[in-house]
Amino acid sequence: KKFNIFAITPARGNSKGIKNKNLKSIRNIPLLKLCFDVAKKIKLIDEVVISSDSKKIIKKAKLIGYKSFFKRPKKLSGDKVADMPVLKHALKSIEKKIKKKVDYIVMLQATSPLRKPIHVKKCIEKIIDNNFDAVWTVSEVDKKYHPDKQLIPIKNNIKFFSRNGNKIIARQQLNKTYYRNGAAYVFSRKAVLREQILPRKSGYIVIKDELISIDTVKDLKRIGKIIKL
């Protein structure tokens, strides 16, 4: 294996939608463990790291099996902090610890428990094979929800979200669009250091499996009915 590849689980403590979201469990299995177990099945990944501003989360991660954990500084602890500064802090902390350069960072959020190892593995292989700076997993948007068919309210009126909205007559006029499903993000070292979440050289892996990113209690319940343990 020619590259140093580390997976990072960014797990903030005070989530707003669901209190202590990253400490929740599905069928008595912690979300952090579901995330960790997937990463450990991927031989391309050297180590799985937790980055958190919460002592409770770090303590839980240790019990699950995370060998490395980095407490974030206060400036990276708010709910408005983006992912890339967090990954950059973790990357620098890892390199300081191992005294080597990290080639790729895999971001695996605990809130996407339906991911499979193959989803992540394909992303890693694609970023290496194509010399990309980022690869995301994405899902196709049903054309009923295409941006050109969406509407936005402006005061008491409603208007097309897109300038092309009033030109759309048939579905055949619509190109495919995708949304990020949260299963996996892989970044080059350069992209992380520059804090570029979607660099110019970015690729994607389309996932057809059902994936849910947890934002609400309803999402947790839905996953509980779907997930196979």
Side-chain angles (χ1 to χ4, degrees), residues 57-70:
I57 289 175
I58 289 175
K59 184 178 179 180
K60 187 82 168 180
K62 289 180 185 179
L63 293 173
I64 286 167
Y66 284 86
K67 295 292 187 292
S68 294
F69 23 86
F70 300 107

Side-chain angles (χ1 to χ4, degrees), residues 191-208:
V192 174
L193 291 177
R194 292 181 178 180
E195 298 185 17
Q196 296 174 316
I197 194 163
L198 194 64
R200 185 177 60 83
K201 292 169 63 179
S202 294
Y204 61 96
I205 295 291
V206 179
I207 307 296
K208 294 185 178 180

Side-chain angles (χ1 to χ4, degrees), residues 86-102:
V86 171
L87 296 183
K88 183 177 179 179
H89 170 261
L91 169 66
K92 288 185 173 182
S93 300
I94 293 165
E95 290 186 338
K96 186 176 180 180
K97 180 182 176 182
I98 67 173
K99 295 180 171 51
K100 293 179 184 177
K101 282 188 177 181
V102 172

Side-chain angles (χ1 to χ4, degrees), residues 8-24:
I8 296 174
T9 300
R12 188 167 59 84
N14 295 320
S15 52
K16 286 192 172 180
I18 303 175
K19 189 175 180 181
N20 295 320
K21 178 168 64 175
N22 286 298
L23 288 171
K24 296 297 183 186

Side-chain angles (χ1 to χ4, degrees), residues 2-188:
K2 298 179 182 178
F3 302 100
N4 295 319
I5 303 172
F6 281 70
I8 296 174
T9 300
R12 188 167 59 84
N14 295 320
S15 52
K16 286 192 172 180
I18 303 175
K19 189 175 180 181
N20 295 320
K21 178 168 64 175
N22 286 298
L23 288 171
K24 296 297 183 186
S25 298
I26 294 176
R27 296 190 191 174
N28 296 318
I29 299 179
L31 292 176
L32 287 172
K33 179 168 173 53
L34 291 170
C35 183
F36 179 80
D37 288 350
V38 166
K40 293 303 288 183
K41 290 176 182 176
I42 302 165
K43 293 181 180 178
L44 291 167
I45 294 175
D46 294 295
E47 194 173 326
V48 195
V49 173
I50 190 92
S51 169
S52 182
D53 55 359
S54 165
K55 290 181 181 178
K56 282 185 179 180
I57 289 175
I58 289 175
K59 184 178 179 180
K60 187 82 168 180
K62 289 180 185 179
L63 293 173
I64 286 167
Y66 284 86
K67 295 292 187 292
S68 294
F69 23 86
F70 300 107
K71 185 82 160 54
R72 301 182 202 169
K74 282 188 177 180
K75 65 180 181 180
L76 297 179
S77 299
D79 60 335
K80 294 183 180 178
V81 175
D83 290 321
M84 295 311 287
V86 171
L87 296 183
K88 183 177 179 179
H89 170 261
L91 169 66
K92 288 185 173 182
S93 300
I94 293 165
E95 290 186 338
K96 186 176 180 180
K97 180 182 176 182
I98 67 173
K99 295 180 171 51
K100 293 179 184 177
K101 282 188 177 181
V102 172
D103 297 293
Y104 296 101
I105 289 292
V106 184
M107 183 169 72
L108 299 177
Q109 296 160 316
T111 49
S112 296
L114 295 178
R115 72 165 62 85
K116 298 176 182 176
I118 190 64
H119 300 156
V120 185
K121 185 173 180 286
K122 283 183 176 181
C123 282
I124 297 172
E125 290 171 344
K126 187 156 191 173
I127 198 170
I128 292 171
D129 292 344
N130 294 276
N131 196 28
F132 283 138
D133 285 314
V135 173
W136 295 9
T137 55
V138 299
S139 298
E140 188 174 341
V141 176
D142 188 313
K143 287 187 177 179
K144 291 194 293 288
Y145 310 111
H146 191 281
D148 287 343
K149 297 192 78 174
Q150 291 182 25
L151 306 166
I152 54 171
I154 300 177
K155 294 184 179 180
N156 293 323
N157 297 322
I158 197 164
K159 294 188 177 181
F160 282 111
F161 171 77
S162 164
R163 290 180 181 179
N164 295 324
N166 59 3
K167 300 175 185 176
I168 302 302
I169 299 169
R171 289 167 58 89
Q172 290 73 19
Q173 293 175 265
L174 300 170
N175 295 322
K176 288 183 179 181
T177 58
Y178 301 91
Y179 64 92
R180 47 177 160 176
N181 53 43
Y185 303 82
V186 185
F187 300 102
S188 69

Side-chain angles (χ1 to χ4, degrees), residues 18 26 212-224:
I18 303 175
I26 294 176
I212 298 171
S213 185
I214 298 170
D215 290 311
T216 65
V217 173
K218 187 178 179 181
D219 294 332
L220 271 172
K221 290 178 180 177
R222 282 178 63 203
I223 290 170

